[in-house]
Amino acid sequence: EVQLQQSGAELGKPGTSVKLSCKVSGYNIRNTYMYWVNQRPGKGLEWIGRIDPANGNTIYAEKFKTKATLTADTSSNTAYMQLSQLKSDDTAIYFCAIELGAPFDYWGQGVMVTVSS
Amino acid sequence: EIVMTQAPLSVSVTPGESASMSCRSSKSLLYSNGITYVYWYLQKPGKSPQLLIYRMSNLASGVPDRFSGSGSETDFTLKISRVEAEDVGNYYCGQLLENPLTFGSGTKLEIK
């Protein structure tokens, strides 16, 4: 069974960084893309970017190019997203998702990031 | 970027009846390979989104055949026949034709 397990909730102060993880079991992440999406409170889905864990190639949405950094560790089958220079606007749930048969067909449970002083 | 517009904002349905919702893209999602890159996702309350329909009309694994997707190059419809209580949630369409990937703002399905 394919499962994506995300790290726990984060509370970050403005101007600091947080690093989120997404550990995949039941599937080798070398064989898929890892996508990241956020959802601000009460809002819809927003695509952040994608990494190809096999070679580390990344694509970001324009507004996240200086905000998010995507990495992956194939030895532990885990993907990471670092969010830098946190602002209150970064408060959201962050999801990871992979592509087996179709993009976003398996999702993590989501992790709440709260930015507050 | 491609803008996805969903309507209605919400729909209220009696169990057993049908429901439909629409999604419009600002650009054709039909690629030269004949595939239309629109996808539908359901986010149940407090849960992660789940894939329902891929490439406009293909049912994702494990999704009941009460769900169906159709459309043209820019106008798309998700239909749910015989709505059940478990279908409650927010339905999002998304385009995966080009970066940045974009989603509609969602249609909320409620049960009467």
Side-chain angles (χ1 to χ4, degrees), chain A residues 25-46:
Chain A
S25 58
Y27 195 78
N28 190 330
I29 63 171
R30 284 182 172 271
N31 299 323
T32 183
Y33 293 130
M34 179 69 74
Y35 299 88
W36 292 86
V37 169
N38 77 0
Q39 186 170 39
R40 292 185 172 83
K43 301 298 183 182
L45 306 173
E46 183 176 33

Side-chain angles (χ1 to χ4, degrees), chain B residues 40-102:
Chain B
W40 289 93
Y41 302 88
L42 164 60
Q43 187 175 30
K44 296 182 179 182
K47 301 293 186 182
S48 303
Q50 62 183 92
L51 177 66
L52 296 175
I53 302 287
Y54 64 97
R55 297 178 184 175
M56 191 170 72
S57 59
N58 297 278
L59 202 62
S61 177
V63 176
D65 60 6
R66 302 183 290 103
F67 291 87
S68 64
S70 63
S72 62
E73 296 185 24
T74 58
D75 289 273
F76 313 101
T77 301
L78 176 71
K79 291 186 178 179
I80 313 170
S81 62
R82 306 182 305 281
V83 168
E84 299 181 3
E86 66 177 18
D87 300 334
V88 163
N90 285 297
Y91 290 78
Y92 296 97
C93 61
Q95 68 80 19
L96 278 66
L97 176 67
E98 62 184 43
N99 296 318
L101 309 185
T102 49

Side-chain angles (χ1 to χ4, degrees), chain A residues 6 24 30 35 58 60 63 65 111 114:
Chain A
Q6 296 188 239
V24 179
R30 284 182 172 271
Y35 299 88
T58 53
Y60 298 93
K63 68 177 290 187
K65 282 185 175 179
V111 56
T114 303

Side-chain angles (χ1 to χ4, degrees), chain A:
Chain A
E1 181 188 8
V2 178
Q3 291 188 327
L4 281 67
Q5 183 65 41
Q6 296 188 239
S7 47
E10 296 273 2
L11 174 60
K13 295 185 185 301
T16 65
S17 299
V18 295
K19 191 170 186 177
L20 313 180
S21 66
C22 177
K23 183 172 178 59
V24 179
S25 58
Y27 195 78
N28 190 330
I29 63 171
R30 284 182 172 271
N31 299 323
T32 183
Y33 293 130
M34 179 69 74
Y35 299 88
W36 292 86
V37 169
N38 77 0
Q39 186 170 39
R40 292 185 172 83
K43 301 298 183 182
L45 306 173
E46 183 176 33
W47 181 69
I48 296 171
R50 177 197 93 189
I51 183 168
D52 182 346
N55 55 29
N57 288 346
T58 53
I59 298 175
Y60 298 93
E62 188 66 32
K63 68 177 290 187
F64 289 101
K65 282 185 175 179
T66 58
K67 169 63 64 179
T69 302
L70 305 182
T71 57
D73 177 2
T74 55
S75 67
S76 62
N77 227 36
T78 302
Y80 301 91
M81 177 172 67
Q82 179 163 312
L83 299 170
S84 62
Q85 291 297 314
L86 292 174
K87 302 183 296 186
S88 59
D89 191 44
D90 297 320
T91 294
I93 299 173
Y94 291 82
F95 296 99
C96 58
I98 60 173
E99 173 177 350
L100 271 65
F104 303 99
D105 56 359
Y106 286 88
W107 294 69
Q109 81 276 22
V111 56
M112 183 71 206
V113 174
T114 303
V115 181
S116 175
S117 54

